[in-house]
Amino acid sequence: IDDVLQLAIVVAIGFAFAENLVNPTYFVGFVTDYLIKPPSPEWGPFIGSVVGRGVLTSMVHIVSTGTAGYFFGLAYFASPLMRDQFARGNIHPIFAMMHRMLGINTEAIYARTQIILGMFYAIILHGMFNFIVSLSDILPGHPTTIGALLGLQESFLNNIAITLVPSVLYVVGGFWLLSTLFEKKEDMKEFGAIVASQTFVS
């Protein structure tokens, strides 16, 4: 499961990198808008835009794809997980009912449910980011800063971009979420993988 999660994160980083290079409105557009078109290069907005897209969008893809990868890992290892659940006497009533009514293997039901859950959570996580980023286009007056959003034009909040909110949510919250998923170590603890341990002898 941890391997699937790691692979999903690598895929997400690759996709974010490719998206930033291939889409003409991102890195190539930043060069045009901030370095070529203006009478003199605007390095501040250029570096801010490149770092913002490089870090923020990469983290959004890492979090959403990593979460999907975790559930894909649960689906892939459905057989040992279901055996473990049966051994403990924990049989989900919906899985048991579908097995009795439709004659579908409970492992197959579990695997498909995990895949659907993974896709659902990935869509929600990426969709929330898209909504927050496009908030300034939706709201009247098209505010781009927190100060403009709150009507505090003379406040220091007028220097803080609205996109800082998803930055904090996805960078800080994303590290917490993925760390939590890695710490579960379901496959390491339960299914025979070797776990390194240290023993101190006095």
Side-chain angles (χ1 to χ4, degrees):
I1 296 169
D2 290 351
D3 291 341
V4 181
L5 178 52
Q6 290 170 18
L7 181 61
I9 289 172
V10 171
V11 169
I13 292 169
F15 174 80
F17 178 76
E19 181 186 49
N20 284 331
L21 287 183
V22 171
N23 192 318
T25 59
Y26 298 148
F27 286 177
V28 174
F30 298 153
V31 171
T32 305
D33 294 341
Y34 299 120
L35 302 182
I36 297 173
K37 281 185 180 176
S40 63
E42 298 174 357
W43 288 103
F46 172 74
I47 292 170
S49 299
V50 167
V51 170
R53 269 218 69 88
V55 173
L56 180 57
T57 59
S58 296
M59 201 61 200
V60 169
H61 290 110
I62 287 169
V63 171
S64 53
T65 309
T67 304
Y70 173 76
F71 284 94
F72 275 40
L74 292 177
Y76 186 79
F77 294 105
S79 295
L81 283 168
M82 290 301 290
R83 280 197 302 272
D84 183 57
Q85 293 292 321
F86 287 141
R88 293 181 186 179
N90 300 332
I91 303 170
H92 200 284
I94 294 176
F95 298 155
M97 183 185 70
M98 290 178 75
H99 172 68
R100 284 193 304 272
M101 289 175 57
L102 305 174
I104 301 173
N105 187 333
T106 52
E107 293 168 9
I109 298 168
Y110 177 81
R112 283 164 179 77
T113 304
Q114 297 311 307
I115 290 172
I116 292 167
L117 280 174
M119 294 302 293
F120 173 76
Y121 289 134
I123 290 167
I124 293 296
L125 287 166
H126 203 308
M128 279 173 36
F129 168 77
N130 291 346
F131 175 75
I132 294 171
V133 168
S134 61
L135 200 58
S136 62
D137 299 330
I138 299 167
L139 295 173
H142 306 294
T144 57
T145 65
I146 294 175
L149 178 67
L150 300 174
L152 305 170
Q153 302 297 341
E154 303 302 320
S155 171
F156 75 95
L157 294 173
N158 205 40
N159 297 321
I160 301 173
I162 291 176
T163 53
L164 185 65
V165 175
S167 299
V168 172
L169 285 174
Y170 282 89
V171 174
V172 176
F175 275 119
W176 171 82
L177 175 63
L178 293 175
S179 297
T180 302
L181 294 178
F182 274 120
E183 285 171 7
K184 287 181 171 251
K185 295 278 185 198
E186 275 125 335
D187 54 339
M188 295 293 183
K189 285 190 282 190
E190 303 292 342
F191 308 123
I194 297 171
V195 179
S197 62
Q198 293 181 342
T199 305
F200 297 97
V201 180
S202 58

